[in-house]
Amino acid sequence: MLKKAIISIVIALLLTFALLGVFIVMQPDEFTISRKTTIAAAPERIFAEVNDFHKWDAWSPWAKLDPNMKTEISGPEAGKGAVFYWTGDQEVGEGRMTIIESTSPNLVKIDLHFIKPFDSSSITEIKITPSGANSDVEWTMSGKHNFMSKAFSLFVDMDKAIGADLDKGLSKLKILIESSTAD
């Protein structure tokens, strides 16, 4: 009797995990997260900040998460081919950003590769569009989901989590540029 109960429980657990696995596999294969703001500055001024990794420390939402984070910038001073590498605690992990397209003053496209805590890649784009005396700035992250990121996204709203970081970065960028423009 006990043996049949244990077998029934094991079968039920296996079926549950199988159904969960099927559900995870059926989740979208790709993701896109995007946020926008308007900054009272010319596109050229904004482009200068986002096209140069040396300047990201002043506005990046991730720059101050780990005070002991180690960073290295290599390649060209700015623009296509510039590389930003970081390694830090479990909150920031380890990864690399490489500018793969730089079209002044409207677009910076970055290949973002996380190494730790899990391997993943995505593309981020910062688009700057003139709007009268202002500029509209859109920061987008997109990529493909693997099995683990599909499973993770069942429990964490990626749009909300990453979107909050993009909002924070755009807000800091806006403050930085508008306060320096006012001087």
Side-chain angles (χ1 to χ4, degrees):
M1 187 76 158
L2 181 61
K3 197 175 194 180
K4 282 186 179 183
I6 291 173
I7 291 172
S8 295
I9 291 171
V10 169
I11 290 172
L13 285 173
L14 289 174
L15 284 173
T16 301
F17 284 124
L19 288 173
L20 180 61
V22 169
F23 185 70
I24 291 170
V25 168
M26 293 176 62
Q27 297 305 302
D29 291 332
E30 298 180 357
F31 68 92
T32 300
I33 300 163
S34 188
R35 296 296 188 269
K36 294 180 183 179
T37 195
T38 299
I39 299 177
E44 294 79 9
R45 174 70 183 97
I46 301 162
F47 183 81
E49 293 295 325
V50 300
N51 191 51
D52 184 348
F53 288 136
H54 297 93
K55 297 181 178 185
W56 277 51
D57 195 49
W59 62 270
S60 169
W62 305 289
K64 308 286 191 254
L65 290 178
D66 175 7
N68 297 315
M69 178 172 61
K70 303 217 180 337
T71 63
E72 180 182 320
I73 299 172
S74 62
E77 185 71 21
K80 187 174 181 178
V83 177
F84 180 91
Y85 169 81
W86 76 92
T87 184
D89 63 16
Q90 70 268 10
E91 193 167 355
V92 297
E94 178 181 0
R96 178 182 63 248
M97 294 189 295
T98 305
I99 297 178
I100 57 174
E101 187 177 335
S102 175
T103 307
S104 179
N106 304 105
L107 175 69
V108 176
K109 190 174 188 178
I110 298 167
D111 177 23
L112 173 60
H113 183 158
F114 287 99
I115 299 166
K116 292 179 184 174
F118 52 86
D119 188 53
S120 71
S121 293
S122 60
I123 298 294
T124 62
E125 292 183 346
I126 301 173
K127 293 180 184 176
I128 308 159
T129 307
S131 179
N134 301 318
S135 296
D136 293 328
V137 181
E138 181 177 17
W139 194 357
T140 303
M141 179 184 286
S142 59
K144 296 188 181 298
H145 277 303
N146 59 28
F147 183 83
M148 290 305 292
S149 65
K150 286 180 181 185
F152 184 74
S153 67
L154 290 176
F155 304 100
V156 175
D157 183 341
M158 298 293 284
D159 186 77
K160 196 175 207 179
I162 294 172
D165 286 343
L166 299 182
D167 278 334
K168 184 190 281 186
L170 288 171
S171 178
K172 285 181 168 185
L173 181 63
K174 179 180 176 77
I175 291 166
L176 172 75
I177 290 175
E178 289 181 354
S179 67
S180 68
T181 305
D183 294 341

